[in-house]
Amino acid sequence: KAQRAATDAESEVAGIRERLHAAERESEALTAQTKALGRALEVRGGAADLVAMGLPGVRGLVSDSVQVTAGYEAAIAAVLGTVAEGVLAETRDDAFIALEAARDTDGGAIDVVIARSAPLTPATLQVITGIVAAVDVVSAPDGVLGLLSHVVIADDLAAARAAFPALSATATAGPLTIVTRGGDVCTEHLLRGGAGGETSRIALLAERDAAAL
Protein backbone atom coordinates (compact mmCIF):
# COMPACT_ATOMS: atom_id res chain seq x y z
CA LYS A 1 0.00 0.00 0.00
CA ALA A 2 2.82 2.37 0.90
CA GLN A 3 4.60 1.49 -2.35
CA ARG A 4 1.48 2.28 -4.36
CA ALA A 5 1.11 5.62 -2.58
CA ALA A 6 4.74 6.42 -3.33
CA THR A 7 4.24 5.50 -6.98
CA ASP A 8 1.13 7.68 -7.19
CA ALA A 9 3.02 10.56 -5.61
CA GLU A 10 5.86 10.18 -8.09
CA SER A 11 3.39 10.18 -10.97
CA GLU A 12 1.73 13.32 -9.63
CA VAL A 13 5.10 15.05 -9.27
CA ALA A 14 6.03 14.01 -12.81
CA GLY A 15 2.73 15.42 -14.09
CA ILE A 16 3.26 18.71 -12.27
CA ARG A 17 6.80 18.92 -13.64
CA GLU A 18 5.58 18.31 -17.19
CA ARG A 19 2.85 20.97 -16.86
CA LEU A 20 5.43 23.39 -15.50
CA HIS A 21 7.76 22.74 -18.43
CA ALA A 22 4.84 23.18 -20.86
CA ALA A 23 3.95 26.51 -19.22
CA GLU A 24 7.59 27.63 -19.44
CA ARG A 25 7.73 26.70 -23.13
CA GLU A 26 4.51 28.59 -23.80
CA SER A 27 5.83 31.62 -21.91
CA GLU A 28 9.07 31.56 -23.89
CA ALA A 29 7.13 31.28 -27.15
CA LEU A 30 4.91 34.24 -26.24
CA THR A 31 7.95 36.28 -25.21
CA ALA A 32 9.63 35.54 -28.53
CA GLN A 33 6.42 36.40 -30.39
CA THR A 34 6.13 39.70 -28.52
CA LYS A 35 9.75 40.58 -29.33
CA ALA A 36 9.27 39.67 -33.00
CA LEU A 37 6.13 41.79 -33.20
CA GLY A 38 7.98 44.63 -31.50
CA ARG A 39 10.66 44.51 -34.19
CA ALA A 40 8.00 44.39 -36.91
CA LEU A 41 6.39 47.49 -35.42
CA GLU A 42 9.54 49.56 -35.65
CA VAL A 43 8.80 52.44 -38.00
CA ARG A 44 11.45 54.10 -40.14
CA GLY A 45 11.14 57.11 -42.40
CA GLY A 46 9.82 60.62 -42.22
CA ALA A 47 7.14 60.04 -39.59
CA ALA A 48 9.54 58.26 -37.23
CA ASP A 49 12.15 60.98 -37.77
CA LEU A 50 9.59 63.65 -37.01
CA VAL A 51 8.55 61.95 -33.77
CA ALA A 52 12.21 61.52 -32.79
CA MET A 53 12.72 65.30 -33.04
CA GLY A 54 10.71 65.72 -29.86
CA LEU A 55 8.71 68.63 -31.21
CA PRO A 56 6.23 70.20 -28.79
CA GLY A 57 2.73 68.81 -29.19
CA VAL A 58 3.76 65.78 -31.24
CA ARG A 59 2.29 62.76 -29.47
CA GLY A 60 3.72 60.03 -31.67
CA LEU A 61 2.45 57.88 -34.52
CA VAL A 62 -1.27 57.87 -35.28
CA SER A 63 -1.56 54.07 -35.11
CA ASP A 64 -0.20 54.08 -31.54
CA SER A 65 -3.20 56.14 -30.43
CA VAL A 66 -5.84 53.90 -32.03
CA GLN A 67 -7.48 50.96 -30.25
CA VAL A 68 -9.81 48.81 -32.34
CA THR A 69 -12.34 46.18 -31.30
CA ALA A 70 -11.03 42.73 -32.20
CA GLY A 71 -12.06 41.65 -35.68
CA TYR A 72 -12.26 45.15 -37.13
CA GLU A 73 -8.52 45.91 -37.42
CA ALA A 74 -8.31 45.24 -41.18
CA ALA A 75 -11.28 47.50 -41.87
CA ILE A 76 -9.93 50.45 -39.89
CA ALA A 77 -6.41 50.00 -41.31
CA ALA A 78 -7.82 49.95 -44.85
CA VAL A 79 -9.90 53.09 -44.50
CA LEU A 80 -7.17 55.07 -42.70
CA GLY A 81 -4.50 53.93 -45.15
CA THR A 82 -1.24 55.86 -44.90
CA VAL A 83 -2.76 58.16 -42.26
CA ALA A 84 -2.24 55.37 -39.71
CA GLU A 85 1.51 55.62 -40.34
CA GLY A 86 1.43 59.40 -39.94
CA VAL A 87 2.07 61.67 -36.98
CA LEU A 88 -0.39 62.77 -34.32
CA ALA A 89 -0.08 66.41 -33.20
CA GLU A 90 -1.96 67.91 -30.27
CA THR A 91 -3.26 71.10 -31.91
CA ARG A 92 -3.50 72.66 -35.36
CA ASP A 93 -0.56 74.97 -34.56
CA ASP A 94 1.50 71.95 -33.49
CA ALA A 95 0.59 70.25 -36.76
CA PHE A 96 1.77 73.24 -38.82
CA ILE A 97 5.08 73.33 -36.94
CA ALA A 98 5.52 69.58 -37.44
CA LEU A 99 4.79 69.85 -41.16
CA GLU A 100 7.28 72.70 -41.53
CA ALA A 101 9.90 70.56 -39.76
CA ALA A 102 9.09 67.65 -42.07
CA ARG A 103 10.13 69.75 -45.06
CA ASP A 104 13.67 69.75 -43.69
CA THR A 105 13.83 65.97 -43.71
CA ASP A 106 14.06 63.62 -46.67
CA GLY A 107 11.32 61.31 -45.48
CA GLY A 108 8.74 61.90 -48.17
CA ALA A 109 5.13 62.93 -47.70
CA ILE A 110 3.82 62.79 -44.12
CA ASP A 111 0.26 62.91 -42.80
CA VAL A 112 -0.25 64.90 -39.60
CA VAL A 113 -3.54 64.32 -37.76
CA ILE A 114 -4.77 67.00 -35.35
CA ALA A 115 -5.69 65.23 -32.11
CA ARG A 116 -7.71 68.04 -30.56
CA SER A 117 -9.68 69.04 -33.61
CA ALA A 118 -13.37 69.78 -33.32
CA PRO A 119 -15.27 66.50 -33.13
CA LEU A 120 -17.60 65.78 -36.03
CA THR A 121 -21.08 64.46 -35.54
CA PRO A 122 -21.24 60.93 -37.00
CA ALA A 123 -23.43 60.55 -40.04
CA THR A 124 -27.08 59.80 -39.36
CA LEU A 125 -27.69 56.49 -41.08
CA GLN A 126 -30.44 53.97 -41.51
CA VAL A 127 -30.02 51.07 -39.10
CA ILE A 128 -29.14 47.94 -41.08
CA THR A 129 -28.27 44.57 -39.58
CA GLY A 130 -24.59 43.74 -40.07
CA ILE A 131 -23.54 47.37 -40.54
CA VAL A 132 -21.55 49.07 -37.78
CA ALA A 133 -20.38 52.66 -37.53
CA ALA A 134 -16.58 52.81 -37.52
CA VAL A 135 -16.54 55.20 -34.56
CA ASP A 136 -18.36 52.55 -32.49
CA VAL A 137 -15.44 50.10 -32.74
CA VAL A 138 -12.57 52.56 -32.33
CA SER A 139 -11.11 54.42 -29.39
CA ALA A 140 -8.93 57.30 -30.61
CA PRO A 141 -8.39 61.08 -30.41
CA ASP A 142 -11.04 63.36 -31.91
CA GLY A 143 -8.99 63.97 -35.03
CA VAL A 144 -8.95 60.28 -35.91
CA LEU A 145 -12.62 59.84 -35.05
CA GLY A 146 -13.38 62.79 -37.31
CA LEU A 147 -11.77 60.96 -40.23
CA LEU A 148 -13.99 57.97 -39.45
CA SER A 149 -17.21 59.89 -38.79
CA HIS A 150 -18.70 58.99 -42.18
CA VAL A 151 -17.41 55.44 -42.36
CA VAL A 152 -19.38 52.28 -41.68
CA ILE A 153 -18.21 48.67 -41.63
CA ALA A 154 -19.93 45.77 -43.38
CA ASP A 155 -19.28 42.08 -42.85
CA ASP A 156 -18.31 41.48 -46.49
CA LEU A 157 -18.64 42.80 -50.02
CA ALA A 158 -22.10 41.31 -50.50
CA ALA A 159 -23.35 43.11 -47.38
CA ALA A 160 -21.71 46.36 -48.48
CA ARG A 161 -23.25 46.14 -51.94
CA ALA A 162 -26.71 45.42 -50.54
CA ALA A 163 -26.56 48.22 -47.98
CA PHE A 164 -24.97 50.95 -50.11
CA PRO A 165 -28.12 52.38 -51.78
CA ALA A 166 -30.06 52.73 -48.54
CA LEU A 167 -27.11 54.07 -46.57
CA SER A 168 -26.14 56.60 -49.23
CA ALA A 169 -29.71 57.85 -49.45
CA THR A 170 -29.89 58.54 -45.71
CA ALA A 171 -26.32 59.74 -45.15
CA THR A 172 -26.03 63.33 -43.95
CA ALA A 173 -23.22 65.90 -43.95
CA GLY A 174 -20.92 64.30 -46.45
CA PRO A 175 -20.23 61.27 -48.65
CA LEU A 176 -20.30 57.83 -47.12
CA THR A 177 -17.58 55.19 -47.13
CA ILE A 178 -18.31 51.51 -46.51
CA VAL A 179 -15.38 49.29 -45.63
CA THR A 180 -15.62 45.54 -45.17
CA ARG A 181 -14.08 43.63 -42.29
CA GLY A 182 -11.71 42.17 -44.85
CA GLY A 183 -10.47 45.63 -45.87
CA ASP A 184 -12.39 46.39 -49.09
CA VAL A 185 -13.27 50.09 -49.37
CA CYS A 186 -16.40 51.26 -51.18
CA THR A 187 -17.37 54.86 -51.93
CA GLU A 188 -19.70 56.57 -54.37
CA HIS A 189 -16.89 56.91 -56.91
CA LEU A 190 -14.32 54.25 -56.02
CA LEU A 191 -13.98 50.65 -54.91
CA ARG A 192 -10.63 49.40 -53.63
CA GLY A 193 -9.72 45.91 -52.47
CA GLY A 194 -7.95 42.70 -53.26
CA ALA A 195 -6.00 40.03 -51.43
CA GLY A 196 -2.51 39.79 -49.98
CA GLY A 197 -0.34 42.67 -48.84
CA GLU A 198 1.46 43.30 -45.59
CA THR A 199 -0.23 43.09 -42.20
CA SER A 200 -1.16 46.59 -41.04
CA ARG A 201 0.54 48.21 -38.08
CA ILE A 202 -2.84 48.47 -36.36
CA ALA A 203 -3.28 44.69 -36.60
CA LEU A 204 0.31 44.08 -35.45
CA LEU A 205 -0.22 46.31 -32.42
CA ALA A 206 -3.36 44.40 -31.48
CA GLU A 207 -1.52 41.08 -31.90
CA ARG A 208 1.40 42.28 -29.79
CA ASP A 209 -0.88 43.50 -27.00
CA ALA A 210 -2.79 40.21 -27.01
CA ALA A 211 0.46 38.24 -26.81
CA ALA A 212 1.63 40.34 -23.89
CA LEU A 213 -1.46 39.57 -21.76
Side-chain angles (χ1 to χ4, degrees):
K1 186 176 181 180
Q3 184 177 0
R4 185 172 62 192
T7 301
D8 291 343
E10 289 176 358
S11 298
E12 184 176 355
V13 170
I16 293 173
R17 185 180 293 114
E18 178 55 35
R19 290 194 294 273
L20 176 61
H21 289 164
E24 289 174 344
R25 290 193 296 271
E26 182 177 359
S27 177
E28 290 171 355
L30 288 173
T31 299
Q33 181 183 8
T34 301
K35 289 181 178 178
L37 287 169
R39 289 191 296 271
L41 286 166
E42 292 178 359
V43 175
R44 299 176 178 84
D49 293 342
L50 200 57
V51 172
M53 289 180 185
L55 297 171
V58 172
R59 289 194 190 180
L61 299 175
V62 172
S63 52
D64 290 335
S65 71
V66 178
Q67 288 78 47
V68 183
T69 300
Y72 292 94
E73 295 92 348
I76 298 303
V79 76
L80 287 179
T82 58
V83 171
E85 311 300 326
V87 172
L88 183 69
E90 192 70 27
T91 67
R92 185 175 300 277
D93 286 340
D94 295 331
F96 274 115
I97 292 171
L99 204 57
E100 288 173 357
R103 289 186 174 275
D104 297 328
T105 69
D106 192 25
I110 298 174
D111 293 305
V112 183
V113 176
I114 304 165
R116 289 168 53 188
S117 53
L120 294 177
T121 302
T124 301
L125 301 169
Q126 179 178 338
V127 177
I128 298 178
T129 302
I131 301 294
V132 179
V135 294
D136 290 341
V137 298
V138 173
S139 175
D142 286 339
V144 178
L145 294 179
L147 295 173
L148 299 173
S149 60
H150 292 83
V151 176
V152 297
I153 302 172
D155 287 338
D156 52 33
L157 272 176
R161 183 176 185 179
F164 201 94
L167 289 175
S168 295
T170 58
T172 60
L176 178 73
T177 295
I178 301 180
V179 58
T180 69
R181 294 180 68 162
D184 302 298
V185 180
C186 312
T187 74
E188 188 69 38
H189 307 289
L190 172 73
L191 272 70
R192 183 178 70 244
E198 296 182 356
T199 303
S200 71
R201 193 166 190 275
I202 288 176
L204 287 172
L205 283 166
E207 190 175 346
R208 183 203 61 184
D209 293 343
L213 293 178

